[in-house]
Short mmCIF file of all heavy atoms in Angstrom, two decimals:
data_model
loop_
_atom_site.label_atom_id
_atom_site.label_comp_id
_atom_site.label_asym_id
_atom_site.label_seq_id
_atom_site.Cartn_x
_atom_site.Cartn_y
_atom_site.Cartn_z
N HIS A 97 2.90 2.55 -9.61
CA HIS A 97 3.19 4.03 -9.63
C HIS A 97 4.34 4.29 -8.63
O HIS A 97 4.03 4.93 -7.57
CB HIS A 97 1.91 4.83 -9.32
CG HIS A 97 0.76 4.69 -10.16
ND1 HIS A 97 0.70 5.24 -11.34
CD2 HIS A 97 -0.27 3.88 -10.08
CE1 HIS A 97 -0.38 4.86 -12.04
NE2 HIS A 97 -1.05 4.08 -11.30
N PRO A 98 5.53 3.87 -8.97
CA PRO A 98 6.66 4.09 -8.04
C PRO A 98 6.94 5.63 -7.74
O PRO A 98 7.40 5.96 -6.73
CB PRO A 98 7.84 3.44 -8.76
CG PRO A 98 7.43 3.16 -10.24
CD PRO A 98 5.98 3.20 -10.31
N GLU A 99 6.44 6.44 -8.67
CA GLU A 99 6.67 7.92 -8.58
C GLU A 99 5.94 8.52 -7.34
O GLU A 99 6.28 9.53 -6.78
CB GLU A 99 6.31 8.58 -9.72
CG GLU A 99 4.85 8.84 -10.12
CD GLU A 99 4.16 7.55 -10.70
OE1 GLU A 99 4.77 6.45 -10.85
OE2 GLU A 99 2.85 7.53 -10.80
N ARG A 100 4.97 7.69 -6.84
CA ARG A 100 4.23 8.19 -5.55
C ARG A 100 5.01 7.96 -4.31
O ARG A 100 4.57 8.49 -3.28
CB ARG A 100 2.89 7.46 -5.60
CG ARG A 100 1.90 7.77 -6.62
CD ARG A 100 0.44 7.51 -6.27
NE ARG A 100 -0.48 7.89 -7.24
CZ ARG A 100 -1.10 7.12 -8.13
NH1 ARG A 100 -0.96 5.83 -8.06
NH2 ARG A 100 -1.92 7.62 -9.10
N GLY A 101 6.04 7.27 -4.45
CA GLY A 101 6.84 6.96 -3.19
C GLY A 101 6.16 6.01 -2.29
O GLY A 101 5.21 5.34 -2.62
N VAL A 102 6.61 6.03 -1.01
CA VAL A 102 6.04 5.05 0.01
C VAL A 102 4.62 5.44 0.38
O VAL A 102 4.42 6.70 0.64
CB VAL A 102 6.94 4.97 1.22
CG1 VAL A 102 6.27 4.25 2.29
CG2 VAL A 102 8.24 4.46 0.77
N GLU A 103 3.67 4.54 0.33
CA GLU A 103 2.36 4.96 0.65
C GLU A 103 1.83 3.97 1.86
O GLU A 103 2.31 2.81 1.87
CB GLU A 103 1.31 4.60 -0.52
CG GLU A 103 1.55 5.60 -1.62
CD GLU A 103 0.57 5.31 -2.84
OE1 GLU A 103 0.62 4.22 -3.32
OE2 GLU A 103 -0.23 6.08 -3.21
N ALA A 104 0.96 4.44 2.69
CA ALA A 104 0.40 3.66 3.76
C ALA A 104 -0.64 2.72 3.09
O ALA A 104 -1.39 3.04 2.26
CB ALA A 104 -0.28 4.50 4.76
N ARG A 105 -0.56 1.46 3.55
CA ARG A 105 -1.58 0.42 3.08
C ARG A 105 -2.32 -0.07 4.33
O ARG A 105 -1.75 -0.69 5.24
CB ARG A 105 -0.84 -0.67 2.44
CG ARG A 105 0.03 -0.11 1.25
CD ARG A 105 0.52 -0.94 0.24
NE ARG A 105 1.33 -0.21 -0.71
CZ ARG A 105 0.82 0.47 -1.70
NH1 ARG A 105 -0.46 0.23 -2.03
NH2 ARG A 105 1.60 1.25 -2.50
N TYR A 106 -3.62 0.19 4.28
CA TYR A 106 -4.46 -0.08 5.42
C TYR A 106 -5.07 -1.53 5.31
O TYR A 106 -5.30 -1.99 4.20
CB TYR A 106 -5.68 0.90 5.50
CG TYR A 106 -5.22 2.25 5.72
CD1 TYR A 106 -4.79 3.13 4.65
CD2 TYR A 106 -5.17 2.87 7.07
CE1 TYR A 106 -4.40 4.37 4.98
CE2 TYR A 106 -4.82 4.18 7.28
CZ TYR A 106 -4.40 4.92 6.24
OH TYR A 106 -4.07 6.19 6.53
N ALA A 107 -5.26 -2.20 6.43
CA ALA A 107 -5.99 -3.34 6.43
C ALA A 107 -7.06 -3.39 7.55
O ALA A 107 -6.92 -2.67 8.48
CB ALA A 107 -4.96 -4.54 6.66
N GLY A 108 -8.03 -4.22 7.45
CA GLY A 108 -8.98 -4.31 8.47
C GLY A 108 -8.51 -5.03 9.67
O GLY A 108 -7.67 -5.95 9.51
N VAL A 109 -8.74 -4.51 10.87
CA VAL A 109 -8.22 -5.10 12.05
C VAL A 109 -8.99 -6.46 12.23
O VAL A 109 -10.18 -6.49 12.49
CB VAL A 109 -8.46 -4.15 13.42
CG1 VAL A 109 -8.13 -4.91 14.68
CG2 VAL A 109 -7.70 -2.94 13.10
N GLY A 110 -8.29 -7.52 12.22
CA GLY A 110 -8.90 -8.93 12.25
C GLY A 110 -9.37 -9.43 10.88
O GLY A 110 -10.10 -10.43 10.88
N GLY A 111 -9.14 -8.58 9.84
CA GLY A 111 -9.55 -9.11 8.50
C GLY A 111 -10.15 -8.04 7.70
O GLY A 111 -10.77 -6.96 8.26
N MET A 112 -9.98 -8.11 6.45
CA MET A 112 -10.51 -6.95 5.43
C MET A 112 -12.00 -6.89 5.57
O MET A 112 -12.57 -5.81 5.37
CB MET A 112 -10.09 -7.33 4.01
CG MET A 112 -8.65 -7.08 3.72
SD MET A 112 -8.02 -5.43 4.09
CE MET A 112 -8.49 -4.72 2.55
N ARG A 113 -12.69 -7.92 5.85
CA ARG A 113 -14.24 -7.91 5.87
C ARG A 113 -14.61 -7.05 7.00
O ARG A 113 -15.81 -6.55 7.03
CB ARG A 113 -14.82 -9.29 6.04
CG ARG A 113 -16.30 -9.25 6.05
CD ARG A 113 -16.90 -10.65 5.81
NE ARG A 113 -16.82 -11.16 4.49
CZ ARG A 113 -16.71 -12.41 4.09
NH1 ARG A 113 -16.57 -13.35 5.00
NH2 ARG A 113 -16.75 -12.72 2.82
N ARG A 114 -13.82 -6.74 8.10
CA ARG A 114 -14.23 -5.81 9.16
C ARG A 114 -14.64 -4.54 8.58
O ARG A 114 -15.48 -3.82 9.16
CB ARG A 114 -13.00 -5.67 10.08
CG ARG A 114 -12.96 -6.54 11.24
CD ARG A 114 -13.97 -6.54 12.28
NE ARG A 114 -14.16 -5.27 13.00
CZ ARG A 114 -13.38 -4.72 13.84
NH1 ARG A 114 -12.24 -5.43 14.18
NH2 ARG A 114 -13.64 -3.64 14.53
N ILE A 115 -14.09 -4.07 7.40
CA ILE A 115 -14.26 -2.79 6.89
C ILE A 115 -15.68 -2.75 6.38
O ILE A 115 -16.49 -1.87 6.77
CB ILE A 115 -13.23 -2.32 5.88
CG1 ILE A 115 -11.84 -2.32 6.52
CG2 ILE A 115 -13.63 -1.08 5.18
CD1 ILE A 115 -10.57 -2.00 5.52
N PRO A 116 -16.14 -3.62 5.43
CA PRO A 116 -17.52 -3.51 4.94
C PRO A 116 -18.50 -3.81 6.11
O PRO A 116 -19.62 -3.23 6.15
CB PRO A 116 -17.56 -4.62 3.89
CG PRO A 116 -16.33 -5.30 3.92
CD PRO A 116 -15.28 -4.48 4.56
N GLU A 117 -18.18 -4.67 7.06
CA GLU A 117 -19.03 -4.96 8.17
C GLU A 117 -19.34 -3.63 9.01
O GLU A 117 -20.41 -3.37 9.32
CB GLU A 117 -18.45 -5.96 9.14
CG GLU A 117 -18.65 -7.36 8.50
CD GLU A 117 -17.92 -8.52 9.29
OE1 GLU A 117 -17.14 -8.15 10.24
OE2 GLU A 117 -18.09 -9.62 8.99
N ALA A 118 -18.16 -2.89 9.16
CA ALA A 118 -18.39 -1.57 9.86
C ALA A 118 -19.33 -0.61 9.08
O ALA A 118 -20.14 0.11 9.64
CB ALA A 118 -17.08 -1.04 10.25
N LEU A 119 -19.11 -0.57 7.80
CA LEU A 119 -19.85 0.32 6.97
C LEU A 119 -21.28 -0.14 6.90
O LEU A 119 -22.17 0.76 6.64
CB LEU A 119 -19.27 0.31 5.49
CG LEU A 119 -17.84 0.90 5.29
CD1 LEU A 119 -17.43 0.74 3.86
CD2 LEU A 119 -17.74 2.34 5.87
N ALA A 120 -21.61 -1.37 7.00
CA ALA A 120 -23.00 -1.94 6.96
C ALA A 120 -23.76 -1.68 8.26
O ALA A 120 -24.99 -1.76 8.19
CB ALA A 120 -22.96 -3.35 6.57
N ALA A 121 -22.97 -1.33 9.35
CA ALA A 121 -23.73 -1.21 10.61
C ALA A 121 -24.81 -0.21 10.56
O ALA A 121 -24.58 0.95 10.03
CB ALA A 121 -22.68 -0.87 11.70
N GLY A 122 -25.98 -0.49 11.05
CA GLY A 122 -27.08 0.38 11.05
C GLY A 122 -27.83 0.54 9.72
O GLY A 122 -28.91 1.21 9.66
N LEU A 123 -27.39 -0.19 8.70
CA LEU A 123 -28.19 -0.15 7.44
C LEU A 123 -28.99 -1.46 7.35
O LEU A 123 -28.75 -2.43 7.97
CB LEU A 123 -27.20 -0.18 6.22
CG LEU A 123 -26.23 1.06 5.96
CD1 LEU A 123 -25.29 0.70 4.86
CD2 LEU A 123 -27.12 2.22 5.60
N ALA A 124 -30.12 -1.29 6.52
CA ALA A 124 -30.94 -2.55 6.27
C ALA A 124 -30.21 -3.34 5.22
O ALA A 124 -30.08 -2.80 3.98
CB ALA A 124 -32.31 -2.07 5.79
N VAL A 125 -29.62 -4.49 5.48
CA VAL A 125 -28.88 -5.24 4.56
C VAL A 125 -29.44 -6.77 4.52
O VAL A 125 -29.55 -7.31 5.59
CB VAL A 125 -27.43 -5.24 4.91
CG1 VAL A 125 -26.57 -6.11 3.89
CG2 VAL A 125 -26.74 -3.90 4.97
N LYS A 126 -29.72 -7.28 3.33
CA LYS A 126 -30.16 -8.68 3.28
C LYS A 126 -29.10 -9.37 2.50
O LYS A 126 -28.93 -9.12 1.22
CB LYS A 126 -31.43 -8.71 2.49
CG LYS A 126 -32.70 -8.69 3.44
CD LYS A 126 -34.02 -8.50 2.82
CE LYS A 126 -34.43 -9.51 1.88
NZ LYS A 126 -35.79 -9.28 1.32
N THR A 127 -28.39 -10.34 3.04
CA THR A 127 -27.44 -11.14 2.31
C THR A 127 -28.12 -12.46 1.81
O THR A 127 -29.23 -12.69 2.16
CB THR A 127 -26.23 -11.50 3.25
OG1 THR A 127 -26.64 -12.01 4.39
CG2 THR A 127 -25.35 -10.25 3.44
N GLY A 128 -27.47 -13.23 1.11
CA GLY A 128 -27.98 -14.49 0.53
C GLY A 128 -29.17 -14.23 -0.37
O GLY A 128 -30.03 -14.99 -0.45
N THR A 129 -29.22 -13.09 -1.09
CA THR A 129 -30.39 -12.64 -1.88
C THR A 129 -29.89 -12.16 -3.21
O THR A 129 -29.69 -11.01 -3.55
CB THR A 129 -31.14 -11.44 -1.11
OG1 THR A 129 -31.31 -11.76 0.32
CG2 THR A 129 -32.38 -11.01 -1.81
N PRO A 130 -29.86 -13.12 -4.16
CA PRO A 130 -29.48 -12.86 -5.56
C PRO A 130 -30.59 -12.05 -6.21
O PRO A 130 -31.78 -12.38 -6.06
CB PRO A 130 -29.23 -14.16 -6.28
CG PRO A 130 -29.83 -15.09 -5.32
CD PRO A 130 -30.01 -14.58 -4.00
N VAL A 131 -30.29 -11.02 -6.93
CA VAL A 131 -31.35 -10.20 -7.64
C VAL A 131 -31.18 -10.46 -9.12
O VAL A 131 -30.12 -10.47 -9.75
CB VAL A 131 -31.05 -8.64 -7.40
CG1 VAL A 131 -31.91 -7.82 -8.31
CG2 VAL A 131 -31.31 -8.31 -5.97
N ASP A 132 -32.38 -10.84 -9.65
CA ASP A 132 -32.47 -11.04 -11.10
C ASP A 132 -33.50 -10.15 -11.72
O ASP A 132 -33.23 -9.13 -12.43
CB ASP A 132 -32.84 -12.48 -11.39
CG ASP A 132 -32.90 -12.83 -12.81
OD1 ASP A 132 -32.37 -12.09 -13.62
OD2 ASP A 132 -33.53 -13.80 -13.17
N ARG A 133 -34.71 -10.22 -11.21
CA ARG A 133 -35.77 -9.41 -11.71
C ARG A 133 -35.74 -8.02 -10.73
O ARG A 133 -35.64 -8.08 -9.56
CB ARG A 133 -37.14 -10.03 -11.43
CG ARG A 133 -37.42 -11.12 -12.40
CD ARG A 133 -38.37 -10.66 -13.47
NE ARG A 133 -37.93 -11.34 -14.73
CZ ARG A 133 -37.58 -10.74 -15.85
NH1 ARG A 133 -37.52 -9.44 -15.97
NH2 ARG A 133 -37.27 -11.53 -16.95
N LEU A 134 -35.88 -6.99 -11.49
CA LEU A 134 -36.02 -5.66 -10.71
C LEU A 134 -37.41 -5.20 -10.56
O LEU A 134 -38.15 -5.19 -11.66
CB LEU A 134 -35.27 -4.56 -11.57
CG LEU A 134 -33.72 -4.83 -11.67
CD1 LEU A 134 -33.16 -3.67 -12.62
CD2 LEU A 134 -33.02 -4.90 -10.47
N GLU A 135 -37.97 -4.96 -9.42
CA GLU A 135 -39.37 -4.61 -9.12
C GLU A 135 -39.32 -3.11 -9.16
O GLU A 135 -39.24 -2.37 -8.17
CB GLU A 135 -39.76 -5.18 -7.76
CG GLU A 135 -39.62 -6.61 -7.64
CD GLU A 135 -40.67 -7.43 -8.55
OE1 GLU A 135 -41.64 -6.74 -8.98
OE2 GLU A 135 -40.41 -8.58 -8.80
N PHE A 136 -39.67 -2.49 -10.32
CA PHE A 136 -39.62 -1.06 -10.52
C PHE A 136 -40.77 -0.37 -9.73
O PHE A 136 -40.65 0.83 -9.32
CB PHE A 136 -39.75 -0.70 -11.99
CG PHE A 136 -38.70 -1.15 -12.92
CD1 PHE A 136 -38.85 -2.01 -13.85
CD2 PHE A 136 -37.37 -0.71 -12.51
CE1 PHE A 136 -37.77 -2.40 -14.66
CE2 PHE A 136 -36.31 -1.15 -13.27
CZ PHE A 136 -36.45 -2.04 -14.35
N ALA A 137 -41.85 -1.09 -9.40
CA ALA A 137 -42.95 -0.49 -8.64
C ALA A 137 -42.65 -0.52 -7.13
O ALA A 137 -43.31 0.19 -6.40
CB ALA A 137 -44.24 -1.28 -8.84
N ALA A 138 -41.60 -1.24 -6.73
CA ALA A 138 -41.40 -1.41 -5.32
C ALA A 138 -40.44 -0.36 -4.64
O ALA A 138 -40.38 -0.38 -3.42
CB ALA A 138 -40.87 -2.80 -5.02
N THR A 139 -39.81 0.38 -5.47
CA THR A 139 -38.88 1.32 -4.92
C THR A 139 -38.80 2.55 -5.90
O THR A 139 -39.28 2.57 -7.01
CB THR A 139 -37.48 0.69 -4.84
OG1 THR A 139 -36.56 1.66 -4.17
CG2 THR A 139 -36.87 0.36 -6.11
N ASP A 140 -38.15 3.63 -5.34
CA ASP A 140 -38.09 4.97 -6.20
C ASP A 140 -36.89 4.94 -6.99
O ASP A 140 -36.83 5.65 -8.04
CB ASP A 140 -38.09 6.12 -5.23
CG ASP A 140 -39.38 6.24 -4.44
OD1 ASP A 140 -40.47 6.24 -5.06
OD2 ASP A 140 -39.35 6.29 -3.17
N ALA A 141 -35.85 4.19 -6.64
CA ALA A 141 -34.54 4.22 -7.43
C ALA A 141 -33.74 2.94 -7.13
O ALA A 141 -34.03 2.35 -6.14
CB ALA A 141 -33.66 5.49 -7.06
#
Side-chain angles (χ1 to χ4, degrees):
H97 298 282
E99 73 283 359
R100 292 200 174 109
V102 169
E103 291 179 302
R105 303 195 182 272
Y106 296 83
V109 173
M112 290 299 277
R113 185 169 280 147
R114 269 295 295 292
I115 298 174
E117 281 171 354
L119 297 178
L123 294 173
V125 180
K126 267 167 65 179
T127 52
T129 309
V131 171
D132 183 19
R133 288 261 147 238
L134 300 176
E135 302 291 341
F136 297 118
T139 185
D140 297 306

